[in-house]
Amino acid sequence: MTPVPGSPQLRAKSPFLSPYSIPALVVAPTHFPSPLGENAIAAVQCTQRDIQGFYVVIPAGGAGTRLWPLSREDHPKFLLDLTLKGRSLIQATWDRLLPLSSPLRTTVVAGPGHLKSIRDQLPELLPHNLFCEPGPKDSMAAIGLAAAVLAKRDPDAIIGSFAADHMISGDEAFLSAVAEAVEVAKKDYLVTIGIAPSHPSTGFGYIRLGDKLGMKAAPNARLVSSFKEKPDARTAAAYIGTGNYRWNAGMFVTKATALMDLLKDYKPDLHDGLQKIASAWGDEAQRQAVLAEVWPGLEKIAIDNAVAEPAAVEGKVAVVPATFGWDDVGDFSSLADLLPAESNQPRVLGDGSLVLTEQVAGGIVVPGSGRLITCLGVDDLVIVDMPDTLLVTTRARSQEVKRLVKKCRDAGWKTLL
């Protein structure tokens, strides 16, 4: 009698940085052509990288539910190496911004459950520059907390907020855009960086470009005419056709005090609560007491809705149209576009020897459990095989994965989230 084969050895290469080893893969850059006019080539040159008085704020929040079960609440997507280059998304964000601010002026805002992992991944991050928010309150509270604390430390501070879980290609163009945004922020504008759209996406908000500001130090800067919510496909195509719209990537540069002034105008209760927390920040015991008292009552709202949209109506918001490639890695479909693959073959995040296919085109496979995955005659599938759960869907419906997360929670599978 033929003996039953034993369980295969778990030998998968994984996007989890530890304790697995990461294969060195070369990922093709996604650099979009410049949409700018006469100033496309004459971008501001960042010869002096360090920008005095400029503080980087990296909000590191969210569970990345559209990337479940790869991304989990205790190990969200910003802690993962989604390109298998050996650096997580937050590490790549740190590397990209460090030349502008140094560790002295680079801060991270995160929840208590992620502090240890962030410290492990960013050993250069100074302890007093890691701001802990007791619970998720969306981007306005997180960025506002950093602004309030940094304004106490340096009343002239200019802050730039850049999400921990976005991918960028074209670092020179990125640094130049940030340098322009800092110059505009010195004039008391709230400045955002607009991304040249590569396709009529329905998953991003849009920025409508207004008049040029005519600033010599920031030749590409314009006023923001308006912010637009995520459109339907026809509206998105119409936006692209005009040439007057950019994707809203949620990058903001402004004086810390100017942001607090906008909060005072549009969300006074949120402003007062953050100021109270910042006043107690220097004393650990007092800080914890005030956080426990104030934080639960703060409004949960995005910075766009809280201040950017109403301020744009009053002509207080500017945009620097940028030329670098950008992706928020919002779902498995967008992740697939960032990974290399042979023509018409599925993309593999992990050990390619664990994926065998026949007559399969497109899609993405994550062999996270270490067992062999075989596919025959199926196209554009998303297969995420983890040791404790398996996800199968299509690229077309990958935006809806968060619905499964809710179903798992409702069904009592919270330990898998």
Side-chain angles (χ1 to χ4, degrees):
M1 180 176 180
T2 304
V4 177
S7 176
Q9 181 182 1
L10 298 186
R11 56 186 180 88
K13 303 292 175 58
S14 166
F16 292 90
L17 287 176
S18 178
Y20 302 97
S21 60
I22 306 298
L25 297 181
V26 178
V27 179
T30 53
H31 187 82
F32 307 138
S34 169
L36 304 181
E38 63 275 17
N39 296 314
I41 299 175
V44 171
Q45 294 300 312
C46 247
T47 51
Q48 179 61 43
R49 292 298 191 199
D50 188 89
I51 301 177
Q52 292 300 314
F54 179 60
Y55 294 76
V56 166
V57 177
I58 303 175
T65 52
R66 291 187 184 91
L67 288 177
W68 179 86
L70 184 61
S71 176
R72 310 286 180 106
E73 289 179 353
D74 63 348
H75 207 85
K77 70 174 180 175
F78 65 80
L79 294 172
L80 299 176
D81 173 19
L82 295 183
T83 60
L84 298 180
K85 288 183 174 180
R87 299 289 279 175
S88 69
L89 294 183
I90 193 172
Q91 287 174 320
T93 303
W94 173 275
D95 297 343
R96 187 181 307 119
L97 291 160
L98 199 62
L100 300 180
S101 57
S102 79
L104 290 174
R105 302 192 310 277
T106 304
T107 66
V108 176
V109 185
H114 302 141
L115 298 185
K116 183 182 183 303
S117 296
I118 290 172
R119 290 191 192 101
D120 290 343
Q121 291 199 6
L122 301 177
E124 292 181 86
L125 177 62
L126 301 176
H128 71 279
N129 283 342
L130 179 54
F131 302 149
C132 180
E133 53 175 348
K137 287 289 185 179
D138 219 324
S139 58
M140 187 65 260
I143 298 169
L145 172 64
V149 174
L150 292 174
K152 297 287 185 184
R153 295 181 185 175
D154 180 358
D156 298 321
I158 294 177
I159 64 170
S161 173
F162 307 92
D165 56 3
H166 292 179
M167 290 183 63
I168 286 173
S169 59
D171 282 0
E172 287 298 321
F174 171 76
L175 295 175
S176 293
V178 175
E180 280 200 56
V182 171
E183 292 300 319
V184 180
K186 291 177 181 177
K187 304 296 183 182
D188 294 323
Y189 286 99
L190 175 63
V191 191
T192 187
I193 296 176
I195 308 299
S198 60
H199 61 281
S201 172
T202 60
F204 303 138
Y206 285 74
I207 301 165
R208 188 169 188 270
L209 303 181
D211 295 335
K212 290 185 176 182
L213 287 179
M215 291 180 58
K216 186 176 181 180
N220 296 305
R222 294 170 173 263
L223 285 173
V224 170
S225 175
S226 59
F227 288 91
K228 303 293 185 182
E229 297 295 330
K230 296 176 182 179
D232 57 34
R234 179 175 294 182
T235 303
Y239 287 169
I240 299 290
T242 68
N244 291 325
Y245 288 84
R246 298 294 180 266
W247 283 339
N248 178 11
M251 302 179 191
F252 290 96
V253 179
T254 183
K255 289 180 181 177
T257 52
L259 181 60
M260 298 310 295
D261 287 343
L262 290 175
L263 258 184
K264 188 174 183 179
D265 290 342
Y266 304 123
K267 294 290 178 181
D269 291 343
L270 188 50
H271 166 273
D272 293 348
L274 291 172
Q275 290 286 45
K276 186 173 182 179
I277 293 170
S279 297
W281 197 259
D283 183 298
E284 178 68 25
Q286 189 181 4
R287 177 201 310 175
Q288 295 306 324
V290 174
L291 278 171
E293 173 196 347
V294 175
W295 193 264
L298 295 182
E299 182 177 359
K300 186 175 184 178
I301 188 170
I303 187 173
D304 307 71
N305 306 123
V307 296
E309 292 172 2
V313 175
E314 298 185 27
K316 297 177 180 179
V317 184
V319 57
V320 174
T323 63
F324 54 84
W326 169 85
D327 199 293
D328 73 343
V329 204
D331 56 35
F332 284 106
S333 181
S334 62
L335 176 58
D337 289 335
L338 301 170
L339 295 170
E342 296 180 16
S343 179
N344 293 324
Q345 293 298 306
R347 314 296 173 99
V348 177
L349 183 67
D351 189 345
S353 68
L354 292 172
V355 180
L356 297 180
T357 64
E358 179 68 25
Q359 298 179 3
V360 172
I364 179 173
V365 181
V366 183
S369 72
R371 60 187 167 187
L372 180 67
I373 297 174
T374 59
C375 303
L376 171 63
V378 288
D379 298 335
D380 283 326
L381 285 186
V382 174
I383 301 173
V384 185
D385 184 29
M386 303 301 288
D388 55 359
T389 188
L390 169 68
L391 167 73
V392 180
T393 184
T394 62
R395 281 191 65 171
R397 303 197 68 173
S398 58
Q399 277 271 327
E400 302 174 50
V401 169
K402 62 179 181 179
R403 292 167 58 181
L404 286 178
V405 174
K406 184 180 184 304
K407 279 209 162 188
C408 287
R409 190 182 303 279
D410 293 344
W413 293 98
K414 295 180 181 179
T415 57
L416 299 181
L417 303 181

